[in-house]
Amino acid sequence: MLLNMNKLLVFTFCAVLLGCSGNKKKPVVNKPTVITRYDPSLVIAYYNVDSVQERFVAFKKENDQFKAKETAYQKELERMYQERNSFVTSNDQKAKAGQLSENQILEIQKRVQTMDQGIMNYEQTQGAKLDEEANSKFNVLAKKIEQLGKKYSELNKIDVLLIQGTQSPINYISPKMDVTKDFIEFLNKN
């Protein structure tokens, strides 16, 4: 019996060696399983974001307010540059005519540097403030549009509501899926 046990061990050992030697299997690559389905009742629609920006009353109101603030900012900046340039021009003429002492010229140069610094500070602080305010307000509007888009989709049994515009990744979508006009009316009512 011991002899049979030894034979069995030798046989098993050889089988394992043979199994490990020439028949190497390639490792199995786990590919993700993608489940696709076709649903003939799937409803896809889109709205044009440029049209929303033009005709959504809340967006137009915010945009008009922003443009007014931007115009005021630009006018103030132009006024500051004009004041600086007038100061430089008038004193440059006086210097060329020999009407200014060296001390006066140094004082004028310091004042021009102060004016330049004031302009730069205004551009940085007021420009950044204007940008921050615009981003904040338009982000709030974007969130409202997103929420109303969900509500609109639920009410109209739309499964996918896409946004089409100059920056959207949609190359083409059939015009029969365009709900822009109806969606804008919904936005303005809500």
Side-chain angles (χ1 to χ4, degrees), residues 12-25:
T12 304
F13 180 74
C14 288
V16 170
L17 282 177
L18 286 174
C20 291
S21 61
N23 294 342
K24 290 189 177 181
K25 292 183 180 178

Side-chain angles (χ1 to χ4, degrees), residues 105-129:
I105 291 173
L106 288 174
E107 287 299 315
I108 290 168
Q109 288 174 344
K110 286 180 185 178
R111 181 153 178 220
V112 169
Q113 287 175 343
T114 302
M115 293 171 105
D116 288 342
Q117 187 65 41
I119 291 170
M120 190 169 73
N121 287 341
Y122 180 79
E123 285 179 313
Q124 289 175 347
T125 58
Q126 295 303 314
K129 183 179 174 183

